[in-house]
Amino acid sequence: MQISFIMTYIIGIDIGSTATKAVLINEKNEIIQKTIVSIGTGTKGPNLALSNILGDSGLSLDDIDKIIAKGYGRFTFDKTDDQKSEFFAMLKLYHF
Protein backbone atom coordinates (compact mmCIF):
# COMPACT_ATOMS: atom_id res chain seq x y z
CA MET A 1 0.00 0.00 0.00
CA GLN A 2 1.42 3.36 -1.02
CA ILE A 3 0.55 6.42 1.03
CA SER A 4 0.65 9.67 -0.81
CA PHE A 5 1.36 12.93 0.99
CA ILE A 6 0.34 16.27 -0.43
CA MET A 7 2.31 19.26 0.82
CA THR A 8 0.41 22.36 1.91
CA TYR A 9 1.81 25.72 0.81
CA ILE A 10 0.91 29.22 2.00
CA ILE A 11 2.21 32.53 0.69
CA GLY A 12 2.30 35.57 2.92
CA ILE A 13 2.72 38.86 1.10
CA ASP A 14 3.41 42.24 2.69
CA ILE A 15 2.41 44.99 0.28
CA GLY A 16 3.86 48.27 1.46
CA SER A 17 3.92 51.69 -0.11
CA THR A 18 7.49 51.32 -1.42
CA ALA A 19 8.25 47.59 -1.35
CA THR A 20 6.58 44.19 -1.52
CA LYS A 21 7.87 41.24 0.48
CA ALA A 22 6.64 37.67 0.12
CA VAL A 23 7.40 34.34 1.77
CA LEU A 24 6.34 30.80 0.91
CA ILE A 25 5.99 28.32 3.78
CA ASN A 26 4.83 24.73 4.08
CA GLU A 27 2.62 23.13 6.73
CA LYS A 28 5.65 22.67 8.99
CA ASN A 29 6.20 26.47 8.93
CA GLU A 30 9.44 25.94 7.01
CA ILE A 31 10.42 28.80 4.71
CA ILE A 32 10.61 27.45 1.18
CA GLN A 33 11.20 30.71 -0.69
CA LYS A 34 11.25 34.45 -0.01
CA THR A 35 11.59 37.61 -2.07
CA ILE A 36 11.68 41.39 -1.78
CA VAL A 37 10.66 43.65 -4.66
CA SER A 38 11.52 47.35 -4.45
CA ILE A 39 8.09 48.52 -5.62
CA GLY A 40 4.89 48.47 -3.60
CA THR A 41 1.17 49.03 -3.82
CA GLY A 42 -0.36 50.51 -6.95
CA THR A 43 2.40 49.02 -9.11
CA LYS A 44 3.35 45.66 -10.55
CA GLY A 45 5.26 44.92 -7.31
CA PRO A 46 2.82 42.44 -5.75
CA ASN A 47 2.46 40.44 -8.98
CA LEU A 48 6.23 40.47 -9.48
CA ALA A 49 6.80 39.21 -5.93
CA LEU A 50 4.28 36.41 -6.48
CA SER A 51 5.91 35.50 -9.81
CA ASN A 52 9.35 35.41 -8.15
CA ILE A 53 8.12 33.11 -5.38
CA LEU A 54 6.45 30.72 -7.81
CA GLY A 55 9.27 30.77 -10.35
CA ASP A 56 12.04 30.26 -7.81
CA SER A 57 10.17 27.46 -6.01
CA GLY A 58 9.07 25.63 -9.15
CA LEU A 59 5.44 25.72 -7.98
CA SER A 60 2.39 27.05 -9.78
CA LEU A 61 -0.50 29.07 -8.41
CA ASP A 62 -2.54 25.84 -8.40
CA ASP A 63 -0.08 24.35 -5.87
CA ILE A 64 -0.70 27.17 -3.38
CA ASP A 65 -3.40 26.55 -0.79
CA LYS A 66 -3.72 30.09 0.53
CA ILE A 67 -2.35 33.58 -0.07
CA ILE A 68 -2.57 36.04 2.81
CA ALA A 69 -1.78 39.73 2.37
CA LYS A 70 -0.92 42.39 4.90
CA GLY A 71 0.35 45.91 4.70
CA TYR A 72 -0.72 49.17 3.20
CA GLY A 73 -1.76 47.65 -0.13
CA ARG A 74 -3.39 44.46 1.16
CA PHE A 75 -6.83 45.35 -0.23
CA THR A 76 -5.50 46.19 -3.71
CA PHE A 77 -4.13 42.72 -4.57
CA ASP A 78 -6.78 40.51 -6.16
CA LYS A 79 -5.00 37.16 -5.72
CA THR A 80 -5.35 36.95 -1.94
CA ASP A 81 -7.61 34.63 0.00
CA ASP A 82 -7.43 36.79 3.12
CA GLN A 83 -6.06 40.12 4.36
CA LYS A 84 -4.67 40.82 7.81
CA SER A 85 -3.93 44.11 9.51
CA GLU A 86 -0.51 45.02 10.86
CA PHE A 87 -1.91 44.65 14.38
CA PHE A 88 -3.15 41.11 13.70
CA ALA A 89 0.17 40.08 12.16
CA MET A 90 2.14 41.39 15.16
CA LEU A 91 -0.26 39.71 17.59
CA LYS A 92 0.24 36.35 15.82
CA LEU A 93 4.00 36.83 15.82
CA TYR A 94 3.92 37.46 19.58
CA HIS A 95 2.33 34.04 20.16
CA PHE A 96 5.06 32.15 18.26
Side-chain angles (χ1 to χ4, degrees):
M1 177 179 182
Q2 182 178 3
I3 298 176
S4 132
F5 179 74
I6 299 174
M7 190 71 70
T8 301
Y9 296 104
I10 298 172
I11 293 176
I13 186 164
D14 179 4
I15 306 168
S17 60
T18 61
T20 303
K21 298 168 278 297
V23 64
L24 169 67
I25 62 170
N26 63 19
E27 74 278 348
K28 297 176 185 176
N29 287 329
E30 298 170 322
I31 296 174
I32 306 302
Q33 198 66 46
K34 58 187 175 179
T35 190
I36 299 174
V37 176
S38 298
I39 46 180
T41 190
T43 69
K44 62 183 178 182
N47 282 313
L48 184 56
L50 182 61
S51 292
N52 289 352
I53 288 283
L54 295 175
D56 293 345
S57 68
L59 298 173
S60 73
L61 200 51
D62 291 334
D63 297 318
I64 306 303
D65 297 286
K66 193 168 195 176
I67 299 175
I68 302 171
K70 71 174 233 21
Y72 181 73
R74 68 184 179 273
F75 296 113
T76 64
F77 191 53
D78 64 351
K79 293 180 179 68
T80 60
D81 299 300
D82 198 5
Q83 299 91 20
K84 300 294 180 192
S85 70
E86 298 290 325
F87 177 76
F88 180 84
M90 293 306 290
L91 185 61
K92 290 294 280 185
L93 181 63
Y94 175 76
H95 287 286
F96 287 106

